[in-house]
Amino acid sequence: MRILIGKRIVEIRMRNNQTQQDLEFLTGIDSAEVSKYEKGKRNLTLKTMIKFAVALKVHPKELFDFDFDINRYKNEE
């Protein structure tokens, strides 16, 4: 799920012609950390998700606009 959200952040950032440095400036999150979120290496907190949504100028639900295979996760706890 982290990877899917990270890919979505990249998609929206690229669509907006924004760089990781732009997100660093707008969110206060170091660009190296932005990269980790985009690669799915860091868990997003709700607060961080809101920061990204605001910086990307999208509703937070847009970060979850991807195909999701529920069968892959339904047996996990």
Side-chain angles (χ1 to χ4, degrees):
M1 179 78 86
R2 289 188 318 248
I3 292 170
L4 295 173
I5 294 171
K7 286 181 180 182
R8 188 70 181 131
I9 291 170
V10 173
E11 288 172 15
I12 297 168
R13 178 174 61 75
M14 299 298 282
R15 182 181 72 205
N16 291 348
N17 293 313
Q18 292 173 298
T19 65
Q20 289 179 341
Q21 289 75 25
D22 293 331
L23 290 187
E24 176 179 11
F25 176 76
L26 294 167
T27 62
I29 299 169
D30 184 85
S31 59
E33 291 299 305
V34 169
S35 176
K36 290 177 186 176
Y37 285 113
E38 289 185 347
K39 292 177 182 175
K41 294 182 178 183
R42 296 277 321 255
N43 280 323
L44 283 161
T45 64
L46 183 57
K47 184 176 180 178
T48 303
M49 226 178 287
I50 299 297
K51 286 182 180 183
F52 277 116
V54 170
L56 295 167
K57 301 177 186 150
V58 296
H59 192 283
K61 70 181 179 181
E62 294 294 319
L63 300 178
F64 293 94
D65 188 14
F66 50 80
D67 289 331
F68 181 75
D69 180 8
I70 195 163
N71 292 318
R72 182 175 174 195
Y73 297 95
K74 72 180 185 180
N75 292 326
E76 290 185 18
E77 297 193 28

